[in-house]
Structure formats: C-alpha cells, structure tokens
Amino acid sequence: MNWKLAARAERMNPSIIREILKVTEKPGIISFAGGLPSPKTFPIAAFAKACADVLAKDGQAALQYAASEGFPALREFVANELAKQSAAAGVPWAIDPAQVLITTGSQQALDLIAKILIDKDSRVLVETPAYLGALQAFTPMEPQYVSIASDDEGVLIDDVKSKIYPVRPELVEGQASASTSSARTDGKARFIYVIPNYQNPTGRSMSEARRAALSQAAREAGLPIIEDNPYGDLWFDAPPPASLTARNPDGGIYMGSFSKTLAPGLRLGFLVAPKALYPKLLQAKQAADLHTPSFNQRLVAEVLKDGFLDRHVPTIRALYKSQCEAMLAALARELAGTGITWNQPTGGMFLWVKLPAHMNSVDLLPKAVERNVAFVPGAAFYADHPQHNTLRLSFVTASVEQINIGIAALAAVLKAAL
Ligand SMILES: Cc1ncc(COP(=O)(O)O)c(C=O)c1O
C-alpha cells in the first residue's frame, strides 16, 4: 500500500533522544543520557498495599470507565496541594478542583494544549533550549516557533516583549493560508511555554525577580503562560519561588506530574486551567483517550492519603542532591581550568555543560560511548539554531561510584577534543 500521509505526520520525527538512548543501551555503559527518575525511589510497597486496598474497597469502579475530568479525590488533592505550596511561597492561589484535569502524564497535557491553542503558523514562544517532548507535542499543529533568548535564569524579558508580535510582515499568521481559521488573528503569539523549576534540559531555575517580571510582562501584553512543572518538588535545600500561574491564574495553564514524585509508569499528570478554557481541554481529552486509567488514579489517591508525599519526597530530594553534588565535584576535579563550564542546579535531575564554541557534542558521543559513558548532545533541545557545543547530563540514575568513573571517562573524551 502506498500510504498518503497527512502533512502533520510528515512533520513528526522520531525522538532524537530515543534514538540516542538506543546507542547507549550497550551493556556496562554508565548513562547520564536518560531522563528517567531513579527506580530506587519508586514506592513499591505502598503501591502493593494500595492495589489490594483499592480492589477490595472499590474494585468495580476502579476497573470501570470513568469521568474524563479525573477521579474527584485526586483532583481535590492536586488543588489543595498546589494551594498549600503557593501559600507557603507567599502567593495565595485559590484553585477550584473543577479547574483540575487529570491527564495521562503531563505529556498528554502538552498535546491537549497544542490541539486547542495552536493553528497552522501560530507563533509559539519557547525557551532556548526547550523541552524536546513539548516541541514534539506542538509540532504536528504546525506552529512557528519563536525561540526566546535565555540565560541561567530562563527567558530574557525584553526578548519576550519584543517577540510577542511578529516583526516581519511576511511572518504574520494567516498569510500563508488566508482562507483557514488562522486568519482570525493578527500574528500575536498564542502563548509562551516555560519550565521555571529545574528545567529540562538545563536544570536551571527562574529567580523570584525573573518570575515577577515575566508574569507582569505577560499580563500586560495578554500573553498566556503555559507553565510546565514536573520537577518543582525535587528541590535540594529550599523550595522554589511561587509558580507563575499562581500570580495570574486567569492568564495561563499550569501542568504537573506524579512521574517524578511517585513513578512515571503510572502515566499520571494534571493541568489546572482557567474555567473559561477548561471545557475545550476536556473535549480534547475525551477525544484523545476518554479518561486517564481509573485504576491508576484511585491507586495514587489511596497512596497519597495521610501525607505520604511529605514523607516520601524528602527521600528523593536527599538522594538526588547527593548525586548532583557528586557530579559537580567530579566535574570540578576533572575539568577545572579547561574552559568547559557547567551550571549548579538547585534541584531536579539535570545539569548542562557548555564546551568551547568550536566543539560539537554530537561528534563526541560515539567517542564517549566507546569509553562506556553516555550523555545527550544539547543540539536536540533547540527549536531552531542549535548550539552544538552543549550537552545534558542526568545525575539521578547513576550511583556516586558510577558518577565518578563516568565523569572521569567523559572528561578524558572532552579534554582530548579540546
Ligand atoms: C519538562 C517536562 N514536561 C513534561 C514531561 C512529561 O512527563 P510525564 O508525561 O511523565 O508527566 C517531562 C518528562 O520528562 C518533562 O521533562
């Protein structure tokens, strides 16, 4: 059969990272490439008990079709937890559980947002670099990406302000296909997508001042903020400043996930949307998968009752902090004075390395794999104009001993290429 693919399917690409991970699946390799949480942190005993309890108490409902919005107890938990965190960060945020949509991973939330907010040629503002999975979710809707210049704290506010509207008239949305619905707008960006806490891929975080400035600029311009926060609970010494959405709840959509605090295999995430937008997201959700698995939602609601996260998440923070410190110490030991630089994450799973401008981390990966160590070349994470002299390291799946061996091997490859 000669299949004629839809234009949007032609635009889909295999995840470069998944392709890279195949190379790194060689036995014995120390991989800093994956984006996986440490399996040591999965609370298996708590889930074993909750499975039995849910099936005994509520087995029929847990195995039945359910409401697209999500399991009420879980929606309530999310609303309360976010309100609690926000109040503690000094920005009260009153969330009605009716604004919470449980999604099949926060990755699905990105897909639903893309479907309801992006037309062909819609301008979408993204960080430099950006989360690859978001680019994959948005790309089939055929947006025009607008990369915002970013520093160690994320997007630069002046650059955001200058790019909300197109500069060149030929980029005005709708000109390419004036008969389509995209002609409805004037080319104003549909939203800005940001990860304020321990960003994937860089591990960087937005300061309070940057958050306040972005929130104010977005509010003044009427620019929606799509805030993705799967890593916010994984802080090392102090919680991050208040969320962007809490500062202007009508001006954005907030996304969170249970992947990094419980287990990613559950595929449980959520979004919080303004009431006016919620019905469209819900319709997109219904079309996508009717609802997120009822059993998983009840299981997690059961595990979470009685303050489980307050006991469990500190153990993840302590583990990741010790692994991050080991990686930073190893990098300092092996690479001081070489001109290679890296950041100092204050939470999350990743750190970001910058090589001298002439170096290309894609070329160095096979050499690293030969020495049994792997990373992700940074170029994969740019919506446009990739910076080839960057790379992402995950510090959470390797032990401290493996980190020491792996960073020494990586440093040998980098120094040989200097
Ligand atoms: C920034 C970001 N957003 C969303 C996701 C998707 O997470 P999940 O679908 O497991 O909730 C990830 C996964 O790594 C991520 O790094």
Side-chain angles (χ1 to χ4, degrees):
M1 174 62 72
N2 230 349
W3 294 102
K4 170 74 185 139
L5 286 176
R8 84 181 63 80
E10 299 280 9
R11 293 172 69 112
M12 293 174 188
N13 285 312
S15 161
I16 300 164
I17 292 185
R18 277 183 203 283
E19 297 302 302
I20 288 167
L21 289 180
K22 279 187 204 154
V23 183
T24 66
E25 274 161 13
K26 178 177 138 182
I29 204 149
I30 297 174
S31 181
F32 304 133
L36 312 181
S38 169
K40 281 189 214 159
T41 67
F42 301 161
I44 294 172
F47 275 101
K49 181 172 182 317
C51 272
D53 291 349
V54 165
L55 289 173
K57 267 196 314 207
D58 230 2
Q60 289 186 338
L63 298 174
Q64 186 54 284
Y65 283 119
S68 302
E69 292 89 339
F71 183 48
L74 195 58
R75 297 170 77 202
E76 221 164 276
F77 175 89
V78 167
N80 290 340
E81 189 62 26
L82 289 179
K84 202 170 79 185
Q85 285 182 6
S86 240
V91 181
W93 181 15
I95 305 171
D96 184 341
Q99 293 173 258
V100 177
L101 179 63
I102 304 294
T103 56
T104 306
S106 55
Q107 188 64 32
Q108 183 182 50
L110 290 165
D111 182 65
L112 304 180
I113 288 166
K115 283 176 176 155
I116 72 153
L117 292 182
I118 304 176
D119 284 312
K120 181 171 166 28
D121 298 329
S122 296
R123 298 170 68 257
V124 166
L125 310 189
V126 295
E127 295 176 86
T128 309
Y131 168 52
L132 183 67
L135 300 179
Q136 280 188 300
F138 299 160
T139 292
M141 299 299 122
E142 305 183 65
Q144 278 183 31
Y145 289 117
V146 180
S147 289
I148 304 296
S150 307
D151 64 11
D152 285 349
E153 293 186 27
V155 289
L156 299 181
I157 306 306
D158 284 345
D159 208 46
V160 173
K161 286 183 185 166
S162 73
K163 288 176 174 167
I164 293 171
Y165 290 92
V167 179
R168 303 208 312 270
E170 69 268 27
L171 290 185
V172 172
E173 187 179 335
Q175 290 215 340
S177 53
S179 62
T180 69
S181 59
S182 62
R184 275 180 289 150
T185 67
D186 55 3
K188 180 177 176 181
R190 292 293 170 92
F191 58 79
I192 181 167
Y193 167 71
V194 287
I195 305 167
N197 298 320
Y198 325 124
Q199 193 231 19
N200 183 0
T202 59
R204 72 189 174 201
S205 290
M206 293 177 84
S207 64
E208 170 54 35
R210 187 68 60 88
R211 286 170 208 242
L214 177 59
S215 178
Q216 189 187 343
R219 187 198 295 248
E220 282 169 11
L223 173 71
I225 296 179
I226 306 299
E227 179 175 25
D228 192 3
N229 188 26
Y231 302 105
D233 289 322
L234 306 182
W235 45 268
F236 297 156
D237 295 317
S243 95
L244 294 160
T245 315
R247 294 159 202 256
N248 184 21
D250 259 351
I253 302 174
Y254 177 95
M255 277 173 281
S257 175
F258 292 106
S259 289
K260 312 298 191 294
T261 50
L262 289 176
L266 295 162
R267 308 308 306 124
L268 266 189
F270 53 87
L271 62 79
V272 181
K275 285 189 175 163
L277 203 60
Y278 192 94
K280 277 293 155 208
L281 287 160
L282 184 61
Q283 286 157 25
K285 167 77 182 162
Q286 282 165 348
D289 65 353
L290 301 181
H291 64 80
T292 293
S294 328
F295 184 62
N296 294 14
Q297 294 190 62
R298 281 168 194 259
L299 203 53
V300 166
E302 181 68 24
V303 166
L304 293 183
K305 68 179 200 198
D306 309 329
F308 178 81
L309 282 184
D310 295 338
R311 298 187 299 278
H312 178 61
V313 178
T315 64
I316 307 177
R317 288 179 196 136
L319 177 69
Y320 289 3
K321 182 183 174 192
S322 67
Q323 288 167 298
C324 182
E325 282 173 350
M327 190 172 277
L328 290 170
L331 287 166
R333 202 165 51 236
E334 304 288 345
L335 291 172
T338 56
I340 295 169
T341 59
W342 53 92
N343 60 350
Q344 311 266 330
T346 55
M349 299 178 18
F350 305 112
L351 64 78
W352 190 244
V353 176
K354 279 194 187 148
L355 310 174
H358 69 275
M359 288 170 75
N360 185 335
S361 65
V362 175
D363 298 340
L364 298 175
L365 181 61
K367 298 188 175 102
V369 171
E370 261 170 45
R371 285 178 172 261
N372 286 329
V373 62
F375 59 83
V376 184
F381 300 102
Y382 292 81
D384 49 27
H385 309 301
Q387 286 180 17
H388 292 281
N389 61 326
T390 56
L391 56 101
R392 186 189 77 177
L393 298 178
S394 158
F395 46 79
V396 304
T397 41
S399 66
V400 168
E401 192 193 356
Q402 288 172 319
I403 287 172
N404 287 331
I405 298 169
I407 293 295
L410 176 62
V413 172
L414 300 181
K415 283 192 274 196
L418 275 172

